[in-house]
Amino acid sequence: MILLVVQTLNGFQLGMLLFLVAAGLTLVFGVMNFVNLAHGVQYMLGAYLGVTFAQMAGGFWAGLVLASLSAGLFGLALEWLIFRHLYGRSDLDQVLATFGVILTLNEGVRLIWGSAPLELAMPRLLSGSFALMEGLRYPVYRVAIAGLGLAVALLLAAGVHRTRAGMLIRAGASNRDMVSALGVDINRLFRLVFGIGAMLAGFAGVLAAPLISVEPGMGENVLILAFVVIVIGGIGSIRGAFAAAIIVGLVDTVGRGAITGLAHLMLTGPAAAKVGPALASMLIYLVMAAVLALRPAGLFPARA
Amino acid sequence: MNRALPWAIFAALALVPLLSALGVIPGGYLPLLLGRVMVFALAAMSLDFILGIGGLVSFGHAAPLAIGAYAVAILDANNVQDALVVIPVAVLAAGLFALATGAVALRTRGVNFIMITLAFAQMVYFAAGSLADYGGDDGYTLYSRTTLAGWKVFDGRAFYLTALITLFLAWLFLRMLAASRFGRTLAGIRQNRPRMAAMGFNAYAVELAALVIAAMIAAIAGVLLANEAEFVSPAYAGWARSGDLMVMVILGGVGSLHGAILGALLVVLAQEALGGLTSHWPLVFGPALVLAVLFLRHGIAGIGARRG
């Protein structure tokens, strides 16, 4: 029971991080139909810059702000340098070029910061833990991540659903040519989306940094989970990304525990210890398959 | 010229062991490297069949490759090394995997298809990492290489010949398949799906069949790869491996089949050469890839084809 509470909280917190990465990705897909595999790089870059800036500027918070902004700027630079030349091109070209960008930047990070994992200290304000219930303490920082993620999600939802720019983004996602024909500079709009998306991924990277080890290639694991989130939620939909991020986060933590427990109930001895972990690691992909089998366009498709 | 190119490639590959036996070109390292090239060429060629002819951009083709390799490892751990068992098991396992995942992935198109195939390959990656009996994350070193009814066809110099013959047969088979009614239908679906559906073809079934066939061939490449390295690890199913296979197909020229051999040659040699110069070789390979996509649109096999 206690374990379930902790796993649910962890799942929610993972979901919030995934949402931050998936939000930018889904909007970029939605508006520009652009496959950006290099989005995970922003997450990694955010974490590395967070470590560096926190050392230089002396503190987690300064690191968080500076790293998020730099990650956003770096994303815009990449967009200007490479990605904007790929918009009209096939999915295949986009995948290959962004694959090249990942290889380059992962190695660049290794060159600058080295291969050894780095660590980022938690801010002192949030480094404690509190009593969740009797005999169970839960770290404040994880709750803070979930809270910050939720706040950003609400802000983003308000931005997309309540502002003029958000309206244009939604319009662009459902019919780009029509929006363009109505006199909206779709490329400028897209740069805005891209910059914000890159910044959010960087932000998520810094937030995650104190919980994980910061190392080259860390972006891709998150990226593929973010893909799963987008596929489940429906491409281009912020609401879908939010719901799916929480589903994936919960399934990956709660489901993992449940499956291992179930395997021990159904099978005995060494067989359970073998089947459990294998099945648990496949769980979110099986959920994805199940959703797709029922609703190929995802839970909340942006295009009707 | 382009009709002769694939035959010229195979002739050149067949001459290498002969020339190195005569001492004209250095033996040892070069045949080993080319053996590796041919293994990846086989996997890339099967990807080219679905990608180039079927238009199905799979970013998870490392999955059947890894399944084939793990079939070798798991059977090896249970003391089964005969190819007459290993290859059918590998092919069947990869085929079933492609059937199950393809049935889901083919419900979507375009970007979704790319992401889903990538996600399923990642599933194989994590599943392989959780196989504690077969090395888990650290991978598994084979006790002994696969044999064919007692013949050591996967050892030493014989490996080169086995890889070459397998690659050649696969090429003949895929070429025949591409020219068949099935292949024409597949290409037709790539070009105009609604029209083919209106003509009464079951597009879904044809594409699914293509995915299964390609996965089966990739599994054979996986069997070869496990034997070549005498080692199997979850990294075989990693996203970077899927990406490499795709790069080979694109650099070789999409849809040409034999181009995959040139692509594999280029990628493996480039990684080998750059890897010898600097451990930071992706810093050269990555930008080169970006530039190739931006400026070289039809691959190396395509340079001649477009003008002809």
Side-chain angles (χ1 to χ4, degrees):
Chain A
M1 182 59 212
I2 289 177
L3 193 64
L4 187 68
V5 174
V6 171
Q7 279 174 340
T8 309
L9 285 171
N10 285 345
F12 190 71
Q13 170 246 313
L14 174 64
M16 284 301 116
L17 281 180
L18 283 180
F19 171 73
L20 290 175
V21 178
L25 203 56
T26 200
L27 284 178
V28 167
F29 274 138
V31 182
M32 266 349 236
N33 227 348
F34 173 60
V35 192
N36 185 14
L37 292 185
H39 194 68
V41 165
Q42 301 290 345
Y43 174 85
M44 172 185 71
L45 214 60
Y48 271 101
L49 290 173
V51 172
T52 301
F53 283 133
Q55 280 167 359
M56 278 163 45
F60 175 85
W61 298 109
L64 180 65
V65 173
L66 288 173
S68 306
L69 288 177
S70 332
L73 285 177
F74 190 79
L76 284 178
L78 276 182
E79 200 267 345
W80 181 78
L81 195 67
I82 300 170
F83 299 153
R84 69 189 170 113
H85 303 294
L86 294 166
Y87 291 153
R89 307 285 287 273
S90 67
D91 295 342
L92 193 60
D93 284 350
Q94 298 177 348
V95 165
L96 280 178
T98 50
F99 177 60
V101 171
I102 298 183
L103 290 181
T104 312
L105 292 181
N106 274 348
E107 199 55 40
V109 160
R110 194 169 281 136
L111 189 69
I112 296 172
W113 281 283
S115 300
L118 301 180
E119 280 174 19
L120 178 60
M122 278 182 202
R124 203 174 300 149
L125 183 65
L126 302 174
S127 60
S129 62
F130 65 97
L132 200 59
M133 56 176 77
E134 209 163 312
L136 173 66
R137 299 189 69 80
Y138 194 74
V140 179
Y141 186 72
R142 283 181 182 266
V143 179
I145 288 190
L148 268 174
L150 195 63
V152 169
L154 290 174
L155 215 65
L156 205 61
V160 170
H161 291 284
R162 297 274 181 269
T163 67
R164 189 177 159 72
M167 183 190 74
L168 291 174
I169 290 170
R170 276 180 295 135
S174 53
N175 193 335
R176 183 152 55 93
D177 296 334
M178 188 57 82
V179 174
S180 186
L182 289 172
V184 176
D185 185 347
I186 196 89
N187 286 324
R188 214 179 67 183
L189 184 71
F190 180 66
R191 275 197 293 277
L192 176 78
V193 172
F194 199 95
I196 291 176
M199 195 174 76
L200 286 181
F203 180 72
V206 190
L207 283 185
L211 298 176
I212 55 174
S213 56
V214 178
E215 55 195 344
M218 65 186 272
E220 278 62 65
N221 291 331
V222 171
L223 177 83
I224 294 170
L225 281 180
F227 277 171
V228 174
V229 165
I230 291 175
V231 166
I232 292 180
I235 269 194
S237 163
I238 283 285
R239 202 163 47 133
F242 187 76
I246 293 178
I247 293 174
V248 170
L250 286 178
V251 166
D252 198 42
T253 51
V254 180
R256 215 171 257 269
I259 283 277
T260 320
L262 213 62
H264 276 286
L265 273 180
M266 311 267 283
L267 304 160
T268 47
K274 281 174 205 165
V275 173
L279 211 57
S281 63
M282 292 163 71
L283 201 58
I284 53 166
Y285 305 102
L286 297 177
V287 170
M288 178 186 80
V291 169
L292 283 173
L294 297 171
R295 306 190 61 158
L299 296 175
F300 300 94
R303 292 189 187 94
Chain B
M1 180 247 164
N2 268 286
R3 267 167 177 270
L5 184 61
W7 298 98
I9 295 170
F10 281 112
L13 284 173
L15 276 175
V16 166
L18 207 68
L19 291 179
S20 72
L22 292 173
V24 181
I25 52 171
Y29 186 59
L30 185 70
L32 274 182
L33 197 63
L34 285 177
R36 197 172 173 73
V37 166
M38 287 189 288
V39 172
F40 283 113
L42 182 61
M45 197 184 280
S46 67
L47 176 62
D48 191 26
F49 182 71
I50 48 174
L51 197 156
I53 294 166
L56 298 165
V57 184
S58 166
F59 203 143
H61 209 59
L65 182 79
I67 290 173
Y70 265 92
V72 176
I74 291 171
L75 288 172
D76 177 68
N78 292 300
N79 219 4
V80 177
Q81 279 105 9
D82 197 325
L84 294 176
V85 180
V86 172
I87 289 179
V89 167
V91 165
L92 212 65
L96 284 175
F97 171 81
L99 190 68
T101 58
V104 173
L106 281 174
R107 289 175 63 85
T108 63
R109 307 250 81 83
V111 177
N112 264 332
F113 185 81
I114 298 175
M115 290 193 289
I116 293 162
T117 48
L118 178 58
F120 280 131
Q122 191 77 353
M123 178 176 89
V124 172
Y125 172 82
F126 282 122
S130 65
L131 294 173
D133 284 3
Y134 309 106
D137 286 327
D138 299 329
Y140 175 92
T141 306
L142 299 188
Y143 285 111
S144 69
R145 293 193 179 203
T146 307
T147 56
L148 181 65
W151 294 359
K152 298 193 164 189
V153 293
F154 292 97
D155 287 50
R157 273 187 210 164
F159 182 85
Y160 187 94
L161 225 67
T162 307
L164 179 60
I165 292 169
T166 313
L167 184 65
F168 184 63
L169 290 178
W171 176 69
L172 285 179
F173 172 69
L174 286 175
R175 206 171 72 122
M176 187 196 75
L177 204 60
S180 72
R181 179 183 158 86
F182 172 77
R184 299 283 171 179
T185 314
L186 186 65
I189 294 167
R190 183 196 72 220
Q191 286 160 10
N192 194 334
R193 193 185 171 85
R195 181 174 291 178
M196 292 303 279
M199 284 164 70
F201 289 104
N202 185 346
Y204 181 82
V206 171
E207 287 179 334
L208 190 56
L211 281 183
V212 170
I213 292 168
M216 287 174 160
I217 294 173
I220 298 175
V223 171
L224 288 170
L225 183 62
N227 278 292
E228 192 262 347
E230 293 186 354
F231 178 71
V232 171
S233 88
Y236 284 15
W239 63 274
R241 181 77 54 160
S242 292
D244 278 349
L245 290 177
M246 227 154 149
V247 171
M248 291 170 192
V249 171
I250 310 302
L251 288 185
V254 179
S256 66
L257 295 179
H258 65 271
I261 306 173
L262 296 180
L265 187 73
L266 197 73
V267 170
V268 174
L269 289 188
Q271 290 183 350
E272 195 68 25
L274 292 171
L277 288 177
T278 161
S279 62
H280 295 295
W281 62 266
L283 277 183
V284 184
F285 188 67
L289 184 59
V290 175
L291 291 176
V293 172
L294 289 180
F295 299 110
L296 192 75
R297 287 204 181 193
H298 302 295
I300 29 178
I303 291 174
R306 292 288 143 177
R307 292 195 194 113

